Amino acid sequence: MAKLGDYIGGGGTIFSALVDARATFGARKLILEDQDRNPLSYTDLIRAAFALGRRIAAMTEKGERVGVMLPASSAGVVTFFALHAFGRVPTMLNFTSGIRNLKAACELAGVKRVLTAQKFIEQGQLHDLVDALETVATVTYLEDVREKVGLADKLFAAAAGALPLRFASPAKPSD
């Protein structure tokens, strides 16, 4: 069994650390709860990551840096692991940085797509920020992506949840 030190500058990936934690603490262990008080277990998180990640993978390329502009939430965590599971690089964007800095960060990191949530944009009144980001990247709303998750994605996620390291994209810790 790997230890945290193995992942920090060591031999495992962040996604494999999640899978190892599930093996250590139990597949049904509740680890995350959203603002509506809906808990997720390790297995729920892994399955959700595979279902969402499959849809995101269809619109991105392996190794691509994908911007993530979400609040600290279940959706943010699922998106983060979804990108890792499919060999994409989550590039976390802090909406409080301001328009100029976010655009510069996207350009510097080579971000071509930013994932966010309509609800987050509405609540934060961040429409001007989205308009500015759309000049350097495609802004995609997770609500739209989730609508496209179908039966095939759910079946894939169920199988991948049972054997996640067999379904995850091969990766190195440096990826």
Side-chain angles (χ1 to χ4, degrees), residues 9-151:
T13 64
I14 292 174
F15 191 79
S16 64
L18 174 66
V19 174
D20 286 349
R22 178 176 79 167
T24 300
F25 300 107
R28 294 185 190 162
K29 172 82 172 160
L30 298 179
I31 58 166
L32 192 59
E33 187 173 87
D34 66 15
Q35 52 272 33
D36 296 327
R37 311 298 278 178
N38 296 318
L40 291 177
S41 67
Y42 279 107
T43 297
D44 295 333
L45 173 56
I46 291 168
R47 285 182 183 152
F50 276 112
L52 180 64
R54 191 162 188 242
R55 292 284 97 219
I56 295 170
M59 63 180 85
T60 58
E61 297 177 23
K62 185 162 174 45
E64 182 176 333
R65 293 177 189 99
V66 180
V68 177
M69 190 171 69
L70 293 166
S73 64
S74 294
V77 174
V78 170
T79 302
F80 178 81
F81 283 109
L83 291 166
H84 277 289
F86 284 86
R88 278 54 177 179
V89 181
T91 307
M92 308 310 286
L93 301 174
N94 182 346
F95 72 98
T96 66
S97 299
I99 291 172
R100 184 174 153 192
N101 291 331
L102 279 173
K103 284 177 66 175
C106 286
E107 290 172 349
L108 182 63
V111 169
K112 296 184 274 184
R113 182 174 304 272
V114 174
L115 302 173
T116 191
Q118 188 70 43
K119 184 177 178 182
F120 173 61
I121 299 304
E122 292 291 331
Q123 288 179 342
Q125 300 177 352
L126 301 172
H127 301 288
D128 291 344
L129 182 57
V130 169
D131 292 344
L133 285 175
E134 285 178 328
T135 66
V136 295
T138 301
V139 175
T140 302
Y141 294 101
L142 288 178
E143 293 90 343
D144 298 335
V145 176
R146 276 193 219 114
E147 282 181 11
K148 295 176 183 171
V149 173
L151 181 59

Side-chain angles (χ1 to χ4, degrees), residues 50 160 163-169:
F50 276 112
L163 297 166
L165 295 180
R166 292 209 183 253
F167 284 83
S169 290

